[in-house]
Every structure is written in C-alpha cells, then in structure tokens.
Amino acid sequence: MTFEEIEQQEQRNMMPVFSRFPVALVSGKGATAVGVDGKEYVDFTAGIGVNSLGYCDPEWSAAVAGQASAIQHLSNLYYSPVQTAAAEKLCELSGMSKVFFANSGAEANECAVKLARKYGRDFLGSSCTEIVTLKNSFHGRTVTTLAATGQDEFHACFTPLTSGFSYAEPNMESVKSAVTEKTCAVLLELIQGEGGVVPMPEPFVKELRAFCTEKKILLMVDEVQTGVGRTGAFYCYQNYGILPDVVTSAKGIASGLPLGACLCAEPFANVLGPGTHGSTFGGNPVACAGALVVLRRLASPEFLSGVKAKGKYLSEKLAEMPGIACVRGMGMMIGAKPSHGAPGEIAGRCAERGLLILTAKDVLRLLPPLVITKEEADRGLAILREVLDTFKS
C-alpha cells in the first residue's frame, strides 16, 4: 500500500482522535524506523517512551516469539511462571513488595487510586478517600485518571469526572493547604512529562515524603513515563533518594507490548485482596516475556550508566544548538525549548526530513530508545539543527 492509501483507509474507518504526522512506519531496527516508502527516520520518541530497547531487539523478539509459540494467554485464575518471574524481578529492582499487572499506565494509576481509597477507608476512616495531585500533572485518559490530572484542558468535554481529587502547586505550602482530614494519598510525577518535562525540586520531594509519613497518608509516584531506566535510574524516585508507598509503571516496561504495573511497599501489600481488583489481560505471558528481557538488561548498572551518559550528551548538544533557548529533564527524558517557532510545527518539519520528535507544552520532547547509538543521535541532532535554522527570524 502507498502512504496515501493508508491515510485514506484510516480516515474511512477510524475515529479521528489522533493528530498524525504524514508518516506510516512498517519496520525498524534500534532507534531507526523505516516508512512504507522505504524512507528512514531517526526516532527520538520510542513510541512515546515505550520502545525502551528500540525496534525489534533480537533478544526481545526471540523471547516474545517463543512465548507466543508456547502459550499466548491464560486467565489470572491460574498461575503463570513468566508472570511471577517478571513480578519477582520488578520487585527486586524497585524495592517494592508486591505488584499488580495491568495493561497500561492509566490502568496502573486506576489501581493506585483504588488501593489508596481502600487504605483510607480501612486504616484512616470511612471518609478518608480524597487524593491530592499536582497542577500541570498528567495521569491518564480514563475518566478517573483524567480527574487525577491537574490540567483543566484535559477535563473539558468529559465532565462529570470522578470526584475526590484536589490539586496543589508543587510546593509544600500548597500541598499542606490541599491535604484535609479526608485525604488518603498524594499522587505526583517526579518529572511532569505531558506538562512540559518539568522536574520536581528535590527538597520538595523529600519534604513531601516526610510529610506523608507524618500524616499516615500514601505517597504515590506515577512513573509511567519516568520509569524503567528512562532517567538513568531504574525508577526516577531512586534519583531523589526516597521510597514511595505506591509506584505506577508502564510504557517502556515491556518495550512495545501493553503492560502496566502498580507496585506497593510491604505495609500496603494486603490492602487489595481477592475480588477487590482484577484484569483480563494484565500480566499477559507474552508481554511478561518481553518485560523479563527489558528488566534483565536494565538491571545492569552499565546499562543505566549508559542511559545517563547518552542523556548528558544529548542535553549538552541541544544546549549548544542555535535555536534552543533552554534544556531541562533527566537522563533520556529531555525537554528542549525552541527560541523560534512552535514545537508542533518544528516536529512536523523534522518528520519531513527524517526525524521523529515529540512535543509537550512549550518544548520539543525527546524520549529516544534507551539503546540509541551515538551515530543515530548525531543524525537526529543534525536534522533538528537544520530545521531550527529555517525558523530563524
């Protein structure tokens, strides 16, 4: 099929909820994708932080194909050795005690919300079900995770949303004002991704950890985008030197297969019991087989050090680039604010020239595969520089 035929097929048959770039991808290797017309694209997106090991990593592909040939699905009424192995490895790497597997980040956050509310009812009082999140946050697109999201633009058109959420600025004075006798948890992203790649200040995070402990309310960290090696630690909270009570994870965890996880520390291991939560596809063995490859590879300190080094290299090259006003982020979760031009228009011109790049608010957002090579990074940076030059005033 030609690109035009694919585009027309999409327009005939799919709900128009995505603003797509005129690119149709059919194959890839590492951090380089190939379009339907044979054109190559350097990928600074990893499918929005999902393809952590890049396109079609040989070890990952073999594990997934092997599992699909053995048993592709079983219900959660039965034990799955690949699922329990993935849970063990995830708990080992995170310092958490228990995990619930979901299909996506939004579902992982839904589990966290349910865990927090049940914890509140069980241990703090029947009215203690409210959750404080931060303004400019993003926690998903289901009705409840939209309610948790601290951006009005995502709420429009979808009210009434799930009640029981309030929003604070990322400082202790505002959080303390938002927490009431009905609060059971605080939920935050340590780097607000959709909010424009905005890292939380370390003193605020550490003080928030102590405050939640003092108030006996849960500190829940949404690591859907920041997790699984993206920032150079397995989870971003490890960069901050804290241990949350609940962590949610997804995106890069299975390097392209739908898998989410809600993890909790030992004191909260039995808050959710039989019948209180579940999932048909969560912890699917094929997805878990892919996740095991990801978790084993990222467990290497050398791999995570490599992520930090590559992120530093990309950030430094971006900061030196004419047309970039400032750079922020951590590891390979990078936001670069252009001096001229709208991020969406810049991303469109990059796609025309063979570079896939994301946007978020006022920044170009880089979430490349964690295995990107220096040669691929340099090719992408060169395209970005050429595009930015076209926006000079």
Side-chain angles (χ1 to χ4, degrees):
M1 294 178 76
T2 66
F3 171 78
E4 288 72 21
E5 289 170 334
I6 295 168
E7 183 182 41
Q8 290 164 11
Q9 194 174 51
E10 187 262 8
Q11 291 171 353
R12 283 196 304 271
N13 301 299
M14 297 181 67
M15 291 188 189
V17 299
F18 299 111
S19 298
R20 300 187 197 268
F21 293 104
V23 175
L25 303 177
V26 295
S27 64
K29 199 73 178 172
T32 301
V34 180
V36 68
D37 55 357
K39 181 177 178 177
E40 288 194 350
Y41 297 85
V42 176
D43 186 3
F44 279 0
T45 75
I48 314 187
V50 171
N51 297 329
S52 50
L53 298 182
Y55 292 102
C56 304
D57 175 87
E59 184 187 6
W60 176 90
S61 296
V64 169
Q67 185 60 49
S69 299
I71 183 167
Q72 84 277 24
H73 172 77
L74 67 160
S75 85
N76 279 306
L77 294 173
Y78 309 105
Y79 294 93
S80 164
V82 68
Q83 185 188 85
T84 53
E88 182 182 62
K89 193 66 179 174
L90 197 53
C91 287
E92 174 193 326
L93 293 171
S94 66
M96 294 286 111
S97 174
K98 296 287 189 297
V99 57
F100 171 82
F101 284 120
N103 307 318
S104 66
E107 289 188 7
N109 282 334
E110 290 269 355
C111 178
V113 168
K114 289 178 71 175
L115 191 155
R117 289 187 167 174
K118 189 163 185 303
Y119 164 79
R121 289 179 186 278
D122 290 352
F123 297 98
L124 303 179
S126 59
S127 64
C128 297
T129 57
E130 295 183 357
I131 296 172
V132 174
T133 69
L134 298 187
K135 293 180 180 177
N136 198 45
S137 61
F138 181 84
H139 296 292
R141 294 182 185 274
T142 64
V143 171
T144 294
T145 56
L146 276 181
T149 293
Q151 300 185 63
D152 290 341
E153 66 195 75
F154 286 101
H155 298 172
C157 305
F158 302 111
T159 54
L161 300 174
T162 305
S163 61
F165 292 92
S166 59
Y167 315 101
E169 297 288 349
N171 62 69
M172 284 310 303
E173 183 181 358
S174 183
V175 171
K176 287 178 179 178
S177 296
V179 168
T180 71
E181 69 281 359
K182 295 182 178 179
T183 302
C184 62
V186 176
L187 171 65
L188 80 161
E189 304 161 281
L190 294 174
I191 303 174
Q192 293 180 332
E194 300 295 331
V197 191
V198 182
M200 294 294 107
E202 186 172 324
F204 164 64
V205 173
K206 288 188 170 178
E207 191 174 350
L208 180 60
R209 169 65 281 184
F211 174 75
C212 289
T213 301
E214 176 193 338
K215 292 292 183 182
K216 296 183 171 54
I217 59 178
L218 301 183
L219 176 63
M220 307 200 298
V221 176
D222 178 342
E223 294 255 16
V224 168
Q225 193 164 131
T226 55
V228 195
R230 175 57 54 188
T231 65
F234 185 73
Y235 279 122
C236 190
Y237 63 79
Q238 293 160 336
N239 290 319
Y240 283 81
I242 64 155
L243 190 66
D245 300 312
V246 176
V247 181
T248 58
S249 189
K251 288 199 179 289
I253 196 170
S255 195
L257 293 173
L259 187 69
C262 177
L263 300 101
C264 67
E266 179 58 28
F268 316 103
N270 297 311
V271 170
L272 293 177
T276 58
H277 199 44
S279 172
T280 295
F281 294 104
N284 169 273
V286 177
C288 284
L292 272 173
V293 175
V294 173
L295 300 180
R296 286 171 182 154
R297 292 265 286 275
L298 266 64
S300 157
E302 291 77 19
F303 189 99
L304 293 174
S305 294
V307 172
K308 285 184 180 177
K310 292 175 192 176
K312 184 172 182 288
Y313 179 78
L314 283 166
S315 294
E316 288 177 351
K317 291 297 179 184
L318 287 165
E320 294 168 358
M321 196 176 289
I324 294 295
C326 66
V327 179
R328 56 185 184 244
M330 196 179 294
M332 282 207 275
M333 182 173 179
I334 302 168
K337 183 177 180 180
S339 304
H340 307 286
E345 190 176 355
I346 294 169
R349 292 195 195 177
C350 285
E352 291 171 5
R353 297 182 185 217
L355 171 65
L356 307 179
I357 194 166
L358 299 163
T359 65
K361 296 286 181 72
D362 63 345
V363 299
L364 297 163
R365 183 170 40 145
L366 283 72
L367 301 170
L370 303 182
V371 296
I372 190 170
T373 65
K374 182 174 181 296
E375 188 272 335
E376 287 170 322
D378 285 340
R379 273 199 290 141
L381 289 167
I383 293 170
L384 177 58
R385 184 171 184 144
E386 288 174 9
V387 170
L388 291 173
D389 283 346
T390 66
F391 283 87
K392 283 182 179 176
S393 58

